[in-house]
Amino acid sequence: MSRHFTHEVGAKRSVVVGAAQLGPIQRHHSRSDVVERLIDLLHQAHRRGVELVVYPELALTTFFPRWFETDISKSDHWYESSMPSADTAPLFDEARRLGIGFCLGYAELTEPDSSGHRHRFNTQILVDRDGRTVGKYRKVHIPGHETNEPDRPFQHAERYYFEPSDEGFPVWKAFGGYVGMMICNDRRWPESYREMGLQGVELILCGYNTPIHYVPDPSQDILQGFHNSLVMQAGAYQNGTWVVGVAKGGEEEGVDSLAQSCIVAPSGQIVAQTVTAGDELITAECDLNWCARYKETLFDFDRYRRPEVYTRLTSQRGVIRPS
Ligand code: CDT
């Protein structure tokens, strides 16, 4: 017996998405050099009919948490204290002129709060086709370490450079559907997807920087590509949503990072994937009505979920084994 799903008899709802992978950004590359690359990808996207371009995590600079700087204020130059800034304004202007929306990751340094403290977040913004900022997402799951670990071949001091956000995973009505964001390590946590799934998300945008060498356990190095697609495909399928994962890949300051950006359908299938570790655009027409086939069957949350037996999920953080 076949059935009709929500929206299926109504108007077509789709958005042409471009995943704009970046190759490495070296330490000496200026913001304006990088913005030129972003605009070049934007022009490619325009020629291919893209409506929404997704750039990687920390897309404006090299992945600076690989170095430890004892005086953190000496690292302020890696952060943006306004968005758009003078350097990024040409990207905002060109995107608006072309009528293309975009999602951009960057390091954010806030204005002082009431006690004069400036906060540091790993941030992504979503900008609509008319140039209006739809929303801002600040990374929730911050990986790596908070102090210098001099024995490592390179640092991953994200927990020193960024506060974890307490703002959760909002979903916005935009691009004809429901759109959410997450950043890099968030994609490994099922809670990220489910928080958005419970708000009806249909399109999740995720930038990442993933060093291939995982210092705490090098046996995982060979599995980086597998784990990357494993988590995004599972998250897409289990929540009936599109997921767009976009890398900054290639060898940056001697550290090789995973590329393999991909666009995943609500079925969990990868419909587009990059083939290089450099600047590369992949595209897909994302049919948002496809989501209902999963949201209204196997993953009909309202019918099948059992939140009353999942109490540990929000009351407990680490493992507590039975005695
Ligand atoms: N940027 C980022 O979140 N990268 C992490 C690397 C984890 S290893 C410390 C990731 O999950 O890909």
Side-chain angles (χ1 to χ4, degrees):
M1 180 190 79
S2 74
R3 51 173 286 191
H4 286 298
F5 299 97
T6 305
H7 310 299
E8 225 170 40
V9 280
K12 183 174 160 192
R13 284 188 320 130
S14 70
V15 52
V16 182
V17 174
Q21 177 178 283
L22 288 175
I25 300 175
Q26 309 302 348
R27 189 177 191 135
H28 67 273
H29 290 161
S30 68
R31 295 277 203 296
S32 52
D33 287 344
V34 175
V35 168
E36 256 180 50
R37 287 164 62 184
L38 302 181
I39 291 175
D40 184 56
L41 286 158
L42 191 70
H43 288 154
Q44 291 180 40
H46 180 60
R47 290 194 288 277
R48 290 164 64 175
V50 168
E51 298 165 281
L52 168 61
V53 172
V54 185
Y55 296 109
E57 174 191 33
L58 301 177
L60 299 172
T61 65
T62 198
F63 189 77
F64 61 89
R66 74 167 62 89
W67 297 292
F68 197 87
E69 169 57 70
T70 312
D71 176 358
I72 200 166
S73 68
K74 288 201 180 128
S75 300
D76 284 357
H77 62 99
W78 297 121
Y79 294 76
E80 312 300 317
S81 46
S82 63
M83 189 55 65
S85 55
D87 285 323
T88 53
L91 172 69
F92 281 73
D93 293 345
E94 190 62 356
R96 190 176 53 242
R97 189 183 74 78
L98 296 172
I100 300 178
F102 65 93
C103 172
L104 178 74
Y106 61 96
E108 177 191 6
L109 184 59
T110 68
E111 289 294 311
D113 64 16
S114 52
S115 54
H117 184 69
R118 301 180 80 189
H119 298 266
R120 298 165 193 275
F121 294 107
N122 189 338
T123 298
Q124 254 177 210
I125 46 161
L126 179 63
V127 178
D128 217 337
R129 300 179 71 177
D130 59 8
R132 182 182 58 93
T133 297
V134 175
K136 179 189 275 193
Y137 167 74
R138 292 165 169 161
K139 191 172 181 176
V140 167
H141 298 100
I142 311 285
H145 46 101
E146 28 297 86
T147 54
N148 194 19
E149 296 191 1
D151 292 340
R152 287 173 156 258
F154 55 88
Q155 305 294 303
H156 197 108
E158 272 196 71
R159 293 175 72 85
Y160 174 67
Y161 287 108
F162 300 116
E163 280 177 46
S165 159
D166 291 331
E167 296 166 342
F169 294 92
V171 166
W172 292 271
K173 208 164 178 199
F175 296 91
Y178 294 96
V179 184
M181 293 186 272
M182 61 185 179
I183 300 180
C184 195
N185 191 258
D186 290 322
R187 77 196 188 287
R188 303 187 193 273
W189 298 91
E191 294 87 348
S192 313
Y193 304 86
R194 186 50 53 89
E195 273 291 311
M196 291 186 266
L198 285 166
Q199 298 169 75
V201 75
E202 296 172 315
L203 179 62
I204 297 178
L205 314 175
C206 176
Y208 61 90
N209 283 261
T210 296
I212 288 174
H213 181 39
Y214 182 57
V215 179
D217 177 17
S219 75
Q220 296 181 28
D221 296 3
I222 197 172
L223 301 172
Q224 289 291 0
F226 167 63
H227 289 156
N228 184 50
S229 50
L230 176 72
V231 291
M232 291 195 284
Q233 290 183 264
Y237 167 65
Q238 291 169 342
N239 294 278
T241 180
W242 288 88
V243 175
V244 183
V246 189
K248 173 142 65 63
E251 194 173 316
E252 200 178 79
E253 297 292 342
V255 177
D256 200 11
S257 287
L258 184 73
Q260 297 183 24
S261 304
C262 59
I263 302 177
V264 186
S267 58
Q269 293 164 290
I270 294 176
V271 299
Q273 187 164 31
T274 55
V275 292
T276 72
D279 292 9
E280 180 181 343
L281 180 79
I282 53 169
T283 67
E285 178 171 357
C286 300
D287 172 7
L288 301 178
N289 291 345
W290 194 351
C291 301
R293 293 190 162 260
Y294 293 87
K295 291 185 191 295
E296 294 178 13
T297 58
L298 273 162
F299 299 110
D300 179 340
F301 291 167
D302 200 36
R303 184 169 185 192
Y304 298 120
R305 283 186 78 251
R306 300 288 313 286
E308 65 278 16
V309 300
Y310 307 150
T311 52
R312 285 186 191 84
L313 289 182
T314 53
S315 64
Q316 184 178 323
R317 185 161 62 206
V319 174
I320 302 175
R321 296 194 172 84
S323 54

PDB file of all heavy atoms in Angstrom, residues 57 63 139 143-144 156 158 184-185 187-188 209-211 214, ligand 1:
ATOM      1  N   GLU A  57      34.139  25.151   8.382  1.00  0.00           N
ATOM      2  CA  GLU A  57      34.433  25.700   9.720  1.00  0.00           C
ATOM      3  C   GLU A  57      35.695  26.586   9.625  1.00  0.00           C
ATOM      4  O   GLU A  57      36.624  26.258   8.883  1.00  0.00           O
ATOM      5  CB  GLU A  57      34.733  24.523  10.669  1.00  0.00           C
ATOM      6  CG  GLU A  57      35.195  24.897  12.055  1.00  0.00           C
ATOM      7  CD  GLU A  57      35.741  23.680  12.843  1.00  0.00           C
ATOM      8  OE1 GLU A  57      36.335  22.766  12.228  1.00  0.00           O
ATOM      9  OE2 GLU A  57      35.566  23.674  14.072  1.00  0.00           O
ATOM     10  N   PHE A  63      43.755  26.766  10.502  1.00  0.00           N
ATOM     11  CA  PHE A  63      43.174  26.187  11.728  1.00  0.00           C
ATOM     12  C   PHE A  63      44.133  26.470  12.887  1.00  0.00           C
ATOM     13  O   PHE A  63      44.948  25.634  13.279  1.00  0.00           O
ATOM     14  CB  PHE A  63      42.924  24.686  11.541  1.00  0.00           C
ATOM     15  CG  PHE A  63      42.148  24.079  12.671  1.00  0.00           C
ATOM     16  CD1 PHE A  63      40.778  24.259  12.767  1.00  0.00           C
ATOM     17  CD2 PHE A  63      42.787  23.353  13.662  1.00  0.00           C
ATOM     18  CE1 PHE A  63      40.048  23.724  13.819  1.00  0.00           C
ATOM     19  CE2 PHE A  63      42.069  22.810  14.723  1.00  0.00           C
ATOM     20  CZ  PHE A  63      40.702  22.991  14.799  1.00  0.00           C
ATOM     21  N   LYS A 139      29.435  26.703  18.229  1.00  0.00           N
ATOM     22  CA  LYS A 139      29.739  25.273  18.419  1.00  0.00           C
ATOM     23  C   LYS A 139      29.489  24.827  19.870  1.00  0.00           C
ATOM     24  O   LYS A 139      29.946  25.484  20.811  1.00  0.00           O
ATOM     25  CB  LYS A 139      31.194  25.039  18.021  1.00  0.00           C
ATOM     26  CG  LYS A 139      31.619  23.588  17.902  1.00  0.00           C
ATOM     27  CD  LYS A 139      33.032  23.529  17.299  1.00  0.00           C
ATOM     28  CE  LYS A 139      33.576  22.156  17.095  1.00  0.00           C
ATOM     29  NZ  LYS A 139      34.886  22.160  16.421  1.00  0.00           N
ATOM     30  N   PRO A 143      36.071  19.870  20.890  1.00  0.00           N
ATOM     31  CA  PRO A 143      36.993  18.741  21.092  1.00  0.00           C
ATOM     32  C   PRO A 143      38.402  19.219  21.467  1.00  0.00           C
ATOM     33  O   PRO A 143      38.679  20.417  21.528  1.00  0.00           O
ATOM     34  CB  PRO A 143      37.012  18.095  19.711  1.00  0.00           C
ATOM     35  CG  PRO A 143      36.900  19.262  18.785  1.00  0.00           C
ATOM     36  CD  PRO A 143      36.019  20.285  19.482  1.00  0.00           C
ATOM     37  N   GLY A 144      39.288  18.234  21.698  1.00  0.00           N
ATOM     38  CA  GLY A 144      40.700  18.557  21.917  1.00  0.00           C
ATOM     39  C   GLY A 144      40.988  18.826  23.384  1.00  0.00           C
ATOM     40  O   GLY A 144      40.380  18.249  24.270  1.00  0.00           O
ATOM     41  N   HIS A 156      45.704  20.488  19.389  1.00  0.00           N
ATOM     42  CA  HIS A 156      44.294  20.678  18.988  1.00  0.00           C
ATOM     43  C   HIS A 156      43.614  21.374  20.166  1.00  0.00           C
ATOM     44  O   HIS A 156      42.772  20.803  20.858  1.00  0.00           O
ATOM     45  CB  HIS A 156      43.598  19.355  18.636  1.00  0.00           C
ATOM     46  CG  HIS A 156      42.337  19.596  17.863  1.00  0.00           C
ATOM     47  ND1 HIS A 156      42.188  19.327  16.510  1.00  0.00           N
ATOM     48  CD2 HIS A 156      41.167  20.163  18.240  1.00  0.00           C
ATOM     49  CE1 HIS A 156      40.982  19.691  16.115  1.00  0.00           C
ATOM     50  NE2 HIS A 156      40.335  20.192  17.146  1.00  0.00           N
ATOM     51  N   GLU A 158      41.405  23.536  20.795  1.00  0.00           N
ATOM     52  CA  GLU A 158      40.110  24.222  20.639  1.00  0.00           C
ATOM     53  C   GLU A 158      39.491  24.557  21.981  1.00  0.00           C
ATOM     54  O   GLU A 158      38.800  25.563  22.121  1.00  0.00           O
ATOM     55  CB  GLU A 158      39.125  23.340  19.863  1.00  0.00           C
ATOM     56  CG  GLU A 158      39.192  23.500  18.381  1.00  0.00           C
ATOM     57  CD  GLU A 158      37.961  22.911  17.714  1.00  0.00           C
ATOM     58  OE1 GLU A 158      36.869  23.480  17.842  1.00  0.00           O
ATOM     59  OE2 GLU A 158      38.105  21.875  17.057  1.00  0.00           O
ATOM     60  N   CYS A 184      31.664  20.777  12.799  1.00  0.00           N
ATOM     61  CA  CYS A 184      32.697  19.745  12.891  1.00  0.00           C
ATOM     62  C   CYS A 184      32.416  18.656  13.920  1.00  0.00           C
ATOM     63  O   CYS A 184      31.669  17.735  13.677  1.00  0.00           O
ATOM     64  CB  CYS A 184      34.063  20.389  13.104  1.00  0.00           C
ATOM     65  SG  CYS A 184      35.365  19.166  12.785  1.00  0.00           S
ATOM     66  N   ASN A 185      33.020  18.744  15.117  1.00  0.00           N
ATOM     67  CA  ASN A 185      32.890  17.664  16.099  1.00  0.00           C
ATOM     68  C   ASN A 185      31.428  17.394  16.461  1.00  0.00           C
ATOM     69  O   ASN A 185      31.077  16.260  16.809  1.00  0.00           O
ATOM     70  CB  ASN A 185      33.713  18.005  17.350  1.00  0.00           C
ATOM     71  CG  ASN A 185      33.834  16.821  18.289  1.00  0.00           C
ATOM     72  OD1 ASN A 185      33.142  16.749  19.304  1.00  0.00           O
ATOM     73  ND2 ASN A 185      34.683  15.860  17.951  1.00  0.00           N
ATOM     74  N   ARG A 187      29.138  16.829  14.591  1.00  0.00           N
ATOM     75  CA  ARG A 187      28.551  15.827  13.706  1.00  0.00           C
ATOM     76  C   ARG A 187      28.746  14.403  14.223  1.00  0.00           C
ATOM     77  O   ARG A 187      28.115  13.479  13.737  1.00  0.00           O
ATOM     78  CB  ARG A 187      29.106  15.959  12.273  1.00  0.00           C
ATOM     79  CG  ARG A 187      30.529  15.409  12.051  1.00  0.00           C
ATOM     80  CD  ARG A 187      31.056  15.963  10.756  1.00  0.00           C
ATOM     81  NE  ARG A 187      32.309  15.425  10.259  1.00  0.00           N
ATOM     82  CZ  ARG A 187      33.526  15.662  10.756  1.00  0.00           C
ATOM     83  NH1 ARG A 187      33.684  16.382  11.853  1.00  0.00           N
ATOM     84  NH2 ARG A 187      34.603  15.167  10.162  1.00  0.00           N
ATOM     85  N   ARG A 188      29.645  14.232  15.190  1.00  0.00           N
ATOM     86  CA  ARG A 188      29.895  12.882  15.719  1.00  0.00           C
ATOM     87  C   ARG A 188      28.915  12.520  16.829  1.00  0.00           C
ATOM     88  O   ARG A 188      28.924  11.394  17.315  1.00  0.00           O
ATOM     89  CB  ARG A 188      31.320  12.791  16.263  1.00  0.00           C
ATOM     90  CG  ARG A 188      32.381  13.133  15.223  1.00  0.00           C
ATOM     91  CD  ARG A 188      33.774  12.875  15.726  1.00  0.00           C
ATOM     92  NE  ARG A 188      34.767  13.485  14.863  1.00  0.00           N
ATOM     93  CZ  ARG A 188      35.303  12.909  13.782  1.00  0.00           C
ATOM     94  NH1 ARG A 188      34.926  11.694  13.439  1.00  0.00           N
ATOM     95  NH2 ARG A 188      36.199  13.537  13.049  1.00  0.00           N
ATOM     96  N   ASN A 209      37.009  20.854  10.073  1.00  0.00           N
ATOM     97  CA  ASN A 209      38.479  20.735   9.898  1.00  0.00           C
ATOM     98  C   ASN A 209      38.857  19.488  10.673  1.00  0.00           C
ATOM     99  O   ASN A 209      38.831  19.503  11.913  1.00  0.00           O
ATOM    100  CB  ASN A 209      39.224  21.899  10.555  1.00  0.00           C
ATOM    101  CG  ASN A 209      39.178  23.189   9.777  1.00  0.00           C
ATOM    102  OD1 ASN A 209      40.115  23.544   9.069  1.00  0.00           O
ATOM    103  ND2 ASN A 209      38.084  23.920   9.919  1.00  0.00           N
ATOM    104  N   THR A 210      39.189  18.410  10.011  1.00  0.00           N
ATOM    105  CA  THR A 210      39.474  17.153  10.698  1.00  0.00           C
ATOM    106  C   THR A 210      40.875  16.665  10.355  1.00  0.00           C
ATOM    107  O   THR A 210      41.096  16.130   9.263  1.00  0.00           O
ATOM    108  CB  THR A 210      38.415  16.083  10.315  1.00  0.00           C
ATOM    109  OG1 THR A 210      37.149  16.520  10.797  1.00  0.00           O
ATOM    110  CG2 THR A 210      38.749  14.724  10.908  1.00  0.00           C
ATOM    111  N   PRO A 211      41.846  16.858  11.276  1.00  0.00           N
ATOM    112  CA  PRO A 211      43.186  16.321  11.010  1.00  0.00           C
ATOM    113  C   PRO A 211      43.103  14.804  10.839  1.00  0.00           C
ATOM    114  O   PRO A 211      42.398  14.130  11.593  1.00  0.00           O
ATOM    115  CB  PRO A 211      43.969  16.673  12.280  1.00  0.00           C
ATOM    116  CG  PRO A 211      43.190  17.769  12.939  1.00  0.00           C
ATOM    117  CD  PRO A 211      41.758  17.558  12.559  1.00  0.00           C
ATOM    118  N   TYR A 214      44.982  11.330  14.302  1.00  0.00           N
ATOM    119  CA  TYR A 214      44.314  11.530  15.589  1.00  0.00           C
ATOM    120  C   TYR A 214      45.305  11.135  16.677  1.00  0.00           C
ATOM    121  O   TYR A 214      45.549   9.950  16.926  1.00  0.00           O
ATOM    122  CB  TYR A 214      43.027  10.699  15.654  1.00  0.00           C
ATOM    123  CG  TYR A 214      42.265  10.908  16.944  1.00  0.00           C
ATOM    124  CD1 TYR A 214      41.858  12.188  17.325  1.00  0.00           C
ATOM    125  CD2 TYR A 214      41.975   9.845  17.781  1.00  0.00           C
ATOM    126  CE1 TYR A 214      41.180  12.405  18.516  1.00  0.00           C
ATOM    127  CE2 TYR A 214      41.286  10.046  18.984  1.00  0.00           C
ATOM    128  CZ  TYR A 214      40.892  11.332  19.333  1.00  0.00           C
ATOM    129  OH  TYR A 214      40.221  11.538  20.515  1.00  0.00           O
TER     130      TYR A 214
HETATM  131  N1  CDT B   1      37.439  20.931  14.303  1.00  0.00           N
HETATM  132  C1  CDT B   1      37.039  19.794  14.900  1.00  0.00           C
HETATM  133  O1  CDT B   1      36.078  19.790  15.661  1.00  0.00           O
HETATM  134  N2  CDT B   1      37.759  18.708  14.642  1.00  0.00           N
HETATM  135  C2  CDT B   1      37.539  17.461  15.318  1.00  0.00           C
HETATM  136  C3  CDT B   1      38.846  16.789  15.494  1.00  0.00           C
HETATM  137  C4  CDT B   1      38.813  15.969  16.691  1.00  0.00           C
HETATM  138  S1  CDT B   1      40.402  15.509  17.184  1.00  0.00           S
HETATM  139  C5  CDT B   1      40.784  16.535  18.421  1.00  0.00           C
HETATM  140  C6  CDT B   1      36.585  16.522  14.603  1.00  0.00           C
HETATM  141  O2  CDT B   1      35.728  15.957  15.288  1.00  0.00           O
HETATM  142  O3  CDT B   1      36.724  16.299  13.396  1.00  0.00           O
END
